[in-house]
Amino acid sequence: MLRAVSTGAGPLRLKDSRHVVLVEDDHSMRTAIQRLLGAAGYRVLAYASAEGFLKTSGAHQAACLVVDLHLPGLSGFDLIHRLGGTVRTPIIVITGYDEQIARESAETLGAVAFLIKPFQGQDLIKAIRRALALGTRQLHSRPHGRRSPG
């Protein structure tokens, strides 16, 4: 596990394998997830909107992104589209709506998990562990700067 070098409020300098970014507009859900993941040993940076997140370099520092679909302004899908191709960070989608089209769209966009609120905390932690394992394999299986064939 890499240790992130933090200078207080400044950005991380290294990609930390325990660093999770959360984009969730509901304050109580955002706080609950931050506490859950913090207790599980993850470092969490949380944003209330996609726009707030996009103003930072968080995507390039995160080992995993947890994104709510129904956000004010840019939706979770809009955020994933904007990140497409520029970030190879695994994404977990969370939503309060169990819609088949949303599941299929998330899968098409490469989300590694799709969780319906309310979900069990252990389900999110398991999804993050799977995402981190997948992210590590992807990073080690592809040379930097090259896309996989296909």
Side-chain angles (χ1 to χ4, degrees), residues 99-123:
E99 302 163 340
Q100 186 60 32
I101 189 99
R103 284 180 183 273
E104 292 169 2
S105 295
E107 185 177 315
T108 299
L109 291 171
V112 298
F114 188 95
L115 300 175
I116 306 297
K117 299 176 201 174
F119 47 80
Q120 295 294 314
Q122 279 303 104
D123 292 339

Side-chain angles (χ1 to χ4, degrees), residues 81-137:
H81 278 291
R82 290 222 180 160
L83 295 175
T86 63
V87 174
R88 293 183 359 194
T89 303
I91 297 173
I92 296 169
V93 170
I94 59 175
T95 183
Y97 303 95
D98 188 5
E99 302 163 340
Q100 186 60 32
I101 189 99
R103 284 180 183 273
E104 292 169 2
S105 295
E107 185 177 315
T108 299
L109 291 171
V112 298
F114 188 95
L115 300 175
I116 306 297
K117 299 176 201 174
F119 47 80
Q120 295 294 314
Q122 279 303 104
D123 292 339
L124 178 58
I125 291 169
K126 287 177 188 174
I128 290 171
R129 287 180 183 147
R130 282 193 315 269
L132 295 177
L134 177 64
T136 300
R137 284 196 302 273

Side-chain angles (χ1 to χ4, degrees), residues 46-97:
Y47 300 89
S49 70
E51 293 87 352
F53 168 70
L54 288 170
K55 290 179 184 176
T56 71
S57 60
H60 296 284
Q61 299 162 346
C64 180
L65 296 172
V66 178
V67 179
D68 183 21
L69 286 186
H70 298 278
L71 298 167
L74 287 177
S75 73
F77 282 136
D78 293 335
L79 174 60
I80 294 168
H81 278 291
R82 290 222 180 160
L83 295 175
T86 63
V87 174
R88 293 183 359 194
T89 303
I91 297 173
I92 296 169
V93 170
I94 59 175
T95 183
Y97 303 95

